[in-house]
Amino acid sequence: MSLKGKRGLGAIFQDQVVNTRQYLEHVKDSTTGTQGRVVKIFTNHFRVISRPELITYKYNIDYMPEIEDGKVRTDLLCQHKQTIGECHIFDGNSLLLPHRLQKQKTELVSRWGTKIVKVTIEFCSELKPTSVDCLRYYNILFRKILKMMDLKQVGRNYYNENEAMEFLNHKLVIWPGYITSILEYETSITLCADVNHKLLRMQTAYDLIMHVDSKSQRKDIKDITKELVGSIVFTKYNNRTYRVDAINWEETPRSTFKKSGGEEITFVDYYKEQHGLVVTDLTQPLLVSKGKWKKSQQDTPHEPIMLVPELCYLTGLTDEMRKDYRVMRDLAMHTRLDPEKRQHELQRFMNIVQRHKTAQRELQLWDLKFDSDFLSFSGRIMKEVRILQGSRAPILYNRLRKLCVIQNTDVSFLLSFKVLCVLSSDRKDLYDGIKKYLCVNCPIPSQCVVARTLDKPQTLMTIATKIAQQMNCKMGGALWKVETGLRNAMFIGIDCFHDIVNRRKSIAGFVSSVNQELTQWFSQCVFQEAGQELVNGLRACLEAALKLWYKHNLFLPQSIIVYRDGVGDGQLQALIEHEVPQIRSSLKSVYGDEVRLTVVVVKKRINTRFFAEYHGRLQNPLPGTVIDVGVTKRQWYDFFIVSQSVKDGTVTPTHYNVIHDTVHFTPDGIQCLTYRLCHMYYNLSGVIRVPAPCHYAHKLAYLVGQSIHQEPHYSLASRLFYL
Amino acid sequence: FIKFQQSTVARKNVIEFRPPLYKQRYFFVKDIVNQYKPKKVADLGCGNATLLCMLKFHSCVQELVGVDLLMDRLLDWNSDRLSPSVGDHLGPRDLDLSIVLYRGSAVEKDSRLLGFDLITCIELIEHLDSEDLAKFPEVVFGYFSPGMVVISTPNSDFNPLFPASTFRNSDHKFEWNQKQFQHWASNVAKLYNYTVEFTGVGAPPPWAKHVGYCTQIGIFKKKQPEPGSWIVAKPTGSSDSQPEEHTYQVVFTASFPSLQQKHFLLFVLCTEVLKEVEAIRQKYVWILKRKESNEPESEEDIDRSLVRRPGLFLTDAQVAQIEKSPKPYSVGKRFYVPLKRLIGYPKVNRLVGDVSTLRTLLAEGIPTRLNRAHTSVLIDLDPYDYPRDYY
């Protein structure tokens, strides 16, 4: 297989070149709002204050015979420094040079061991300093610089071994590190830097296999498989991570495999010979990894990789650890940085970059310079949203209290038309079973409570209130209302759940509003092939949603506003090419004409953070802060909102990108509407990170994907049964 | 660093070695290291440091040095292969290891290469011109004077088996036949008081046995007063009144985590102890449950089953020792394993030899997990029994 397919323009950069604003006439001049109180905002971006102003030259590099290993490719090319010069950036496939080579096509000969490899450098194109491709090379260069600064690459990011934090009590190590990206924004090119932590466990897959083993005294293959499959392991000898896809119980480290040279060798001998590692248990099974899972490679078969459990360290937190408050408390203390600490860390990082001699030399070759302070601009705090309290939920406290008296049995209680299950433990299979039964076979909204949560008399009141609240919204009762300021509009939230562990079908949750007050929602879901992000069954969902709206209101909505979550990097183009047209054509078939439609892409996983200065200290911006300058894009109609407030740590803003808008929202209009929708989530009496329909869709997709794996019964669709 | 002529690409070798010859040379050195367990190893003309990368996995090696005239290329892209990785932190080596790369020439003296156990010169000498070749023995054998030297070079007797009759590499200044190499090597050995034996890699095809190995190798061992102990543990730098002489330029250094460093010992020890204690607890709880269900079992059987578990490989003597030691016990919701018992488990014993060291280290690493008297490690009997704030 050629490398070319694998290493195209990175996913992030694919989205950069999508220009959606050109079609949005009404925001041609400005995507900036004016309402609200102006506040000075800082962000974790450092402006690029100097960069190459001249044209650079891109060359394609080919190897004869073909070489797969990126390091070898680099090594072979770098044997010709006299030709290409000190100043170059190589991405494994193509080369960026600040000058033109003498010949259009240069053929060179490199040595790899005793082999001789022909390296062809062929001119590809001239790059303007502003081109996205050029930025991609700067990112590669910066990664090289992080490496020079002695940071260690684990997965995609770079970490500092010298500042490793060890949690001896929990057998955990945390390496602090950085996520960086250089991208172009409205007014400048910036380096976005954020602190990141890598969690490593001092536990091997073998420990885990044996652990479960001794619990039940017999090999329970099912349990081990459940715990191990899907987890990411880290092999100490080659610094790589693998995903465990299966456990092969038939084979042992004494099994053989074929080396690249063709000879057969046992795993034991191989690790001894290659890495000086001794495998002690010769009867352990082997782990199977099918390699990286990429959408484009779904059909191409590749040789699975076999791993010896003893040599595989486990990564990430287990569910057990997550439940252990001591682990979580200790981790939070070190990884949840408040704005002040985060700024301090990032400033320190920038200082190290600025002072590092070799790093600076490399940057100077390209005339790249970064500002040493956080980028700052002004944001606005939107007006507080008025919440209209509805009639209180039927009071269930007393009933719940009575329940607690007899809670030592895990029987189901029938409460008028609802099911309340008090579970003796929070075992997932039990929960899954109950939910599956009550969502598919016997559709009744149900509530599960772990018995232990009702144990403590001092918190019983709060918990009972919360449970009552949750039960109430599952039954469709409105808890409060928010005025959206938009008449006759239907709101839709879409999110996806991918079951990466079992590679089952992906589930898209589709939640639409039913009434004007946005107190009732209609929930549907679509199953699609694994890894597929785009919703294909949109048409049916949309038609059903419109039908129900019509039934309730006796007319069709005049405008439709879609909040689309769960869009991965690099999928923006596909969204515009397939999903939006599909929505439009479905609407057309119902209305017989174009109807006003707005589609907003919602992104929660971003590295941009915002800080506001209060009393001389950097703090999280107040809820309702909107940012639509500085780190927004020229080619998009986008903005950030900080809608939620966090107790500790730094708040993560949500990014909104309006990709289609025939409602013609003004920036103030869409920002305000979005913020209001963040108040409409009934499971929490506060403001959430995303508009409520998005979060409902997320909850639905999650419950279906995690627990019931089937389409819930249609009779539940008009209830928020999945909260 | 060597530019080939176009013509060499098209040329096809009829004879192909599997694994490739360069790998066979490296494996040869690895075998030497396995056999003689040198502590300090230097590779002159280390090229892209492939050999060093392979040798860093050997537990006996504690100092690894590479010297080459051209180092920039290596540093740009390969330095992380020589640096400790995340895995080296999680599973530290037993012994320290430092890696240093120098930019320098094999015919220049540098006192930092004194006192080595093994110096390898793989496919190096044929790149030296006659002037440098003349200096080479004095520097390597006379000055560096390591316990052992391994020199490999092409054997020109083998060349007729290749289609082209030129040198194997355009930068080669010469290619010796077996006789020439052995003559040179024997003279050098004699002059500097070494023994030498000849071998090689890349065996000739059966119909041309006489040509010898494709790569010829000379193994030089320094003659010692007492036979058999060829390795000199000479302290670096302080050697026989040699003045400090630094002509090489340090271009890379790395130091690996190891159990000799207290920080890492503590880390690994605490982890192993907690893993062991948790495993014992599981066994303990299981036995408690069995007792409750009233299955008749002798006390002795219970003791034995408390010690043994899958994945724990113990000799009978080790089992006996553990059985003799104070037993784990539980009080209320806490479970205790006496340090005297823990020390019997091989994974703990490998790290610390006695209870008092174990106590001192645990008191430093996981003080909250020790009982007040510092005689036992304690954990919760039921790890899932703790207050929860969420539902």
Side-chain angles (χ1 to χ4, degrees), chain B residues 347-361:
Chain B
K347 278 190 177 165
V348 176
N349 196 269
R350 187 181 83 86
L351 300 166
V352 285
D354 59 282
V355 175
S356 79
T357 318
L358 179 65
R359 180 178 300 130
T360 319
L361 287 172

Side-chain angles (χ1 to χ4, degrees), chain A residues 111 161 207 261 426 453, chain B residues 18 73 89 169 275 388 391:
Chain A
R111 218 178 92 170
E161 58 177 317
D207 289 336
D426 49 359
T453 47
Chain B
R18 262 178 190 248
R73 187 159 66 81
H89 283 81
N169 178 318
K275 274 188 198 171
R388 264 183 238 200
Y391 60 95

Side-chain angles (χ1 to χ4, degrees), chain A residues 71 74-75 78-79 81 108-109 111 113-114 116 144 147 152 154 161 166 168-169 171 173 175 200 202-203 206-207 210-211 213-215 217 234 236-237 239 260-262 273-276 280-281 313 320 323-326 426 452-453 456 463 466-467 470, chain B residues 1-4 6 8-9 18-20 22-23 25 27 30 48 57 72-73 76-78 80-81 83-87 89-91 169 263 266-268 270-271 274-275 278 282-283 286 310-311 313 365-366 368-369 380 384-391:
Chain A
K71 267 189 187 145
T74 309
D75 184 58
C78 286
Q79 292 180 18
K81 260 198 179 157
L108 298 161
V109 176
R111 218 178 92 170
T114 45
I116 280 155
K144 191 171 153 190
K147 213 158 107 178
K152 295 274 138 54
V154 187
E161 58 177 317
E166 280 139 16
L168 295 178
N169 270 322
K171 292 171 290 182
V173 197
W175 285 33
L200 301 157
M202 287 292 290
Q203 210 184 0
Y206 178 75
D207 289 336
M210 287 305 155
H211 194 72
D213 216 357
S214 45
K215 210 186 277 179
Q217 284 301 306
F234 177 90
K236 65 168 278 188
Y237 45 88
N239 207 18
S260 53
E273 185 182 293
Q274 284 285 317
H275 304 291
T280 48
D281 186 347
Y313 284 96
E320 273 172 31
K323 284 182 209 153
D324 188 336
Y325 78 100
R326 282 172 294 212
D426 49 359
R452 210 177 334 226
T453 47
K456 285 187 280 179
I463 284 167
K466 279 191 176 171
I467 294 170
Q470 195 167 5
Chain B
F1 52 103
I2 297 140
K3 196 162 175 184
F4 282 83
Q6 273 291 303
T8 45
V9 180
R18 262 178 190 248
Y22 78 98
K23 274 195 186 162
R25 286 193 286 264
F27 283 130
K30 274 172 76 82
N48 61 5
F57 292 112
D72 311 325
R73 187 159 66 81
D76 266 9
W77 302 101
N78 283 342
D80 57 329
R81 285 202 298 167
S83 306
S85 71
V86 180
H89 283 81
L90 291 179
N169 178 318
H263 175 83
L266 200 61
F267 180 44
V268 175
C270 292
T271 307
L274 286 176
K275 274 188 198 171
E278 272 159 31
Q282 277 183 346
K283 231 10 209 305
W286 179 75
F313 300 99
I366 43 172
T368 54
R369 295 295 180 92
D380 289 342
Y384 308 114
D385 184 27
Y386 42 71
R388 264 183 238 200
D389 303 330
Y390 307 100
Y391 60 95

Side-chain angles (χ1 to χ4, degrees), chain A residues 74-82 84-88 144 147-148 358 361-362 365, chain B residues 1 46-49 66-80 82 101-104 249-252:
Chain A
T74 309
D75 184 58
L76 293 173
L77 179 70
C78 286
Q79 292 180 18
H80 304 288
K81 260 198 179 157
Q82 317 95 293
I84 58 175
E86 195 66 47
C87 181
H88 64 266
K144 191 171 153 190
K147 213 158 107 178
M148 283 176 178
T358 20
R361 206 189 56 193
E362 192 73 32
L365 284 176
Chain B
F1 52 103
C46 63
N48 61 5
V67 181
D68 206 302
L69 274 174
L70 299 129
M71 272 294 180
D72 311 325
R73 187 159 66 81
L74 167 85
L75 286 173
D76 266 9
W77 302 101
N78 283 342
S79 62
D80 57 329
L82 292 174
L101 298 181
Y102 296 108
R103 186 184 294 121
Q249 190 190 349
V250 180
V251 284
F252 172 85

